[in-house]
């Protein structure tokens, strides 16, 4: 579906580790572009899903650090925080109340079908109740902000479909139109390969960080698995792991050129890795310095906190309005304003 400025575009990002090139090409880059092209009017919302991260991260220092890391990454990469609304999920606690309202009308069967839950359990993550009800919290995130379009990677499509079911069910159970039905929008780069050729992921130990530099960058890029073919040998581009990562940085013309050279023979793996590091430096060099400052200085931390606080102040009234509509619908009229001291 074409995304236009008249719609609200919302996405959540879990703070679960330092963002890598898979996150960049699969999600962050599109978010940054959307923040610049959709225009103002609060049409793009991005939040750092710390309530969700709590289902797997039980270390306060680590969680705080990872939230800062995601915020710093988005700001350093140029998210337009004037146009887009960037906030921390837990700064809008109404979303947890909405989760309960949705949970009360959601069947166990729906949640039991969630692939992501089954995958996590099979990867030995201890299944808490929170992990099981994760899709309801995600649905609450989506509906709280009257979202029209939710850009996601393939693994999250089912969760948005579950949110659609919850919206239909809530509205029909209470005979209201309190919640808006969202649509998912699949990222145009569904799978960035990692150093081993599998999907890049921080859980597979095959990731290349966005902002790595110097020795660390060399180490991560050199970890890209190669075979014993000599530079002189002709190679099909698809069969070359390092090219899979490099090609993401290339323009159409550069791709044609590299692919012709690979097919002709004469390109070694070292050449591809060197070109990749140069492309990373050119694309992320300036952002790296901003990122470093945001991550390591008190002024950087203050700047991020101010951005997140402003984002929450813009997001919260939207979630409150949704919650109040829902409370009214279920028979819990919002009397809180009268209960305030
Ligand atoms: P990870 O697999 O490292 O834990 P997440 O699941 O936290 O990454 O993903 C965050 C975002 O980045 C999601 O939108 C996801 O679709 C996207 N993403 C993660 N890895 C990749 C990849 N290898 N290729 C494309 N997109 C990716
Ligand atoms: N579950 C998503 C992920 O792991 C993060 C997320 C939480 C999200 N709430 C959301 C994404 C709402 C889109 C909309 O990537």
């Amino acid at each position: 579906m074409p995304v236009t400025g008249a719609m609200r575009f919302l996405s959540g990002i879990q703070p679960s580790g330092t963002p890598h090139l898979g996150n960049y090409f699969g999600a962050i880059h599109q978010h940054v572009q959307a923040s610049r092209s959709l225009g103002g009017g609060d049409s793009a919302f991005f939040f750092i899903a710390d309530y969700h991260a709590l289902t797997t991260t039980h270390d306060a220092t680590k969680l705080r650090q990872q939230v800062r890391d995601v915020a710093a990454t988005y700001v350093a990469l140029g998210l337009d925080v004037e146009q887009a609304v960037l906030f921390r999920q837990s700064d809008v606690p109404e979303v947890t109340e909405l989760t309960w309202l949705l949970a009360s009308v959601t069947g166990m069967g729906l949640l039991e079908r969630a692939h992501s839950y089954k995958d996590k359990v099979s990867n030995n993550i201890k299944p808490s109740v929170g992990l099981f009800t994760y899709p309801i919290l995600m649905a609450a995130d989506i509906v709280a902000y009257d979202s029209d379009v939710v850009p996601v990677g393939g693994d999250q499509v089912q969760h948005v479909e579950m949110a659609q079911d919850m919206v239909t069910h809530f509205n029909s159970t209470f005979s209201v139109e309190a919640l808006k039905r969202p649509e998912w929008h699949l990222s145009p780069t569904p799978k960035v390969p990692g150093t081993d050729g599998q999907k890049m992921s921080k859980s597979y130990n095959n990731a290349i960080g966005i902002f790595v530099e110097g020795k660390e960058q060399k180490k991560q890029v050199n970890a890209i698995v190669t075979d014993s073919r000599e530079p002189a040998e002709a190679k099909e581009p698809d069969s070359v792991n390092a090219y899979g990562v490099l090609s993401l940085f290339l323009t159409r013309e550069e791709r044609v050129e590299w692919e012709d050279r690979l097919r002709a023979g004469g390109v070694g793996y070292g050449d591809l890795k060197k070109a990749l590091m140069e492309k990373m430096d050119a694309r992320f060099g300036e952002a790296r310095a901003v990122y470093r400052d945001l991550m390591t200085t008190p002024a950087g931390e203050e700047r991020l906190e101010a951005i997140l606080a402003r984002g929450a102040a813009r997001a919260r009234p939207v979630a409150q309005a949704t919650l109040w509509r829902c409370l009214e619908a279920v028979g819990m009229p919002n009397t809180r304003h009268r209960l305030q001291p």
Side-chain angles (χ1 to χ4, degrees), residues 26 32 69 95 110 167 169 173-174 188 191 200 204 211 228-229 233 244 253 256 265 267-268 318 326 334:
V32 170
D69 209 338
V95 87
L110 186 72
V167 166
H169 198 57
T173 302
F174 296 105
K191 190 179 145 197
M200 186 178 291
Y204 303 157
F211 298 120
S228 57
R229 286 181 289 176
E233 259 183 76
E253 293 74 35
V256 171
V267 178
V318 185
C326 293
N334 171 35

Side-chain angles (χ1 to χ4, degrees), residues 10-14 16 47-50 52 89 116 120 134 137-142 147 150-153 155-156 159-160:
L10 167 131
S11 201
I13 309 101
Q14 272 210 66
S16 49
F47 64 90
I48 305 171
D50 55 350
H52 276 110
Q89 184 184 32
S116 144
K120 284 181 179 156
Y134 181 115
L137 177 59
M138 181 157 159
D141 290 326
I142 295 170
S147 314
V150 184
V152 282
D155 57 329
Q156 297 296 318
H159 285 158
V160 185

Side-chain angles (χ1 to χ4, degrees), residues 16 20 22-23 26-27 153 155 189-192 199-203:
S16 49
H20 51 69
N23 301 138
D155 57 329
T189 312
K191 190 179 145 197
V192 174
K199 177 182 180 254
M200 186 178 291
S201 167
K202 53 193 152 319
S203 357

Side-chain angles (χ1 to χ4, degrees), residues 18-21 200 207-213 217 220 280 284 288:
T18 297
H20 51 69
L21 294 179
M200 186 178 291
I208 300 176
I210 300 172
F211 298 120
V212 283
E213 52 189 317
Q217 182 192 30
Q220 293 190 9
M280 288 175 72
F284 302 127
R288 251 180 217 157

